[in-house]
Amino acid sequence: MNTFCYAESPLGRLLLTSDGNALTGLYTAPERKSQATEGWAQEAGTEPLAATLRQLSEYFAGTRRDFDLPLRLDGTAFQTRVWRELLQIPYGETWSYGQLAKRIGNPGASRAVGLANGRNPISILVPCHRVIGADGSLTGYGGGLERKRWLLAHEGALNLSRETAPSRGLHQVAMDFRSAAE
């Protein structure tokens, strides 16, 4: 059964989707995906959505660096290869699109890697935010560069103030997120 839920986070409202066995989506701009949930059940308490909410709460509180959740990544063979390699980027580190292309064995595919990165259906957990330009610049992010900047700062990959969350400070929003997930 396809289920979904919303969660408030330091990045704003998130949309989580599941097929009942695995997480199928985590969107930082849910208004772009809400039509995809028509006819689905809104069930935050079912697995794997409940576990995802718990682990996201820990991530935003700064106590979790890795996620242990079942994921279903639907895309082309190339896209899924890119997305699987994104899972290898360590917390607090960044890779360039070129590095990612080399890692999947296709060093000339930086642009194609960027396109696949932009179609990642499970943001944050499949850390497409950790991919940057060859010159170190923040380039493209489906949820917006402000959210990408915040995520990288939260993980210590950028030297920015943690108070750059879209609205309130990290601690208060993380506490609110934890309360909503319980």
Side-chain angles (χ1 to χ4, degrees):
M1 173 169 75
N2 291 327
T3 58
F4 73 99
C5 69
Y6 293 100
E8 296 303 323
S9 80
L11 303 174
R13 191 173 220 202
L14 304 176
L15 169 64
L16 289 71
T17 62
S18 170
D19 63 5
N21 296 309
L23 189 70
T24 57
L26 194 165
Y27 304 98
T28 57
E31 63 280 358
R32 297 187 336 191
K33 294 292 180 186
S34 59
Q35 75 283 354
T37 59
E38 191 171 315
W40 292 21
Q42 188 167 353
E43 298 277 345
T46 61
E47 296 301 341
L49 295 178
T52 303
L53 290 170
R54 282 190 301 275
Q55 290 188 30
L56 281 170
S57 176
E58 295 165 358
Y59 170 81
F60 287 125
T63 60
R64 175 174 288 276
R65 292 179 170 214
D66 299 303
F67 296 93
D68 181 24
L69 296 161
L71 307 177
R72 191 184 88 207
L73 294 165
D74 288 333
T76 67
F78 181 81
Q79 288 171 331
T80 55
R81 196 164 76 215
V82 169
W83 299 334
R84 295 270 178 225
E85 196 61 32
L86 288 172
L87 293 167
Q88 303 309 308
I89 305 174
Y91 179 99
E93 293 184 23
T94 58
W95 292 355
S96 71
Y97 293 96
Q99 286 174 297
L100 188 54
K102 286 177 190 169
R103 294 274 309 214
I104 65 165
N106 200 340
S110 295
R111 288 180 191 239
V113 162
L115 291 172
N117 202 46
R119 296 205 182 279
N120 172 19
I122 305 178
S123 64
I124 305 171
L125 279 67
V126 179
C128 54
H129 62 278
R130 296 180 188 155
V131 183
I132 59 173
D135 62 358
S137 63
L138 299 186
T139 57
Y141 184 65
L145 288 181
E146 182 179 335
R147 288 183 180 108
K148 181 174 187 166
R149 183 176 294 109
W150 191 91
L151 286 164
L152 291 174
H154 173 64
E155 294 181 0
L158 286 181
N159 189 16
L160 298 174
S161 165
R162 289 191 176 203
E163 297 301 318
T164 58
S167 56
R168 299 176 288 154
L170 169 66
H171 179 72
Q172 182 59 48
V173 178
M175 294 304 290
D176 292 348
F177 184 82
R178 182 178 298 130
S179 296
E182 292 173 348

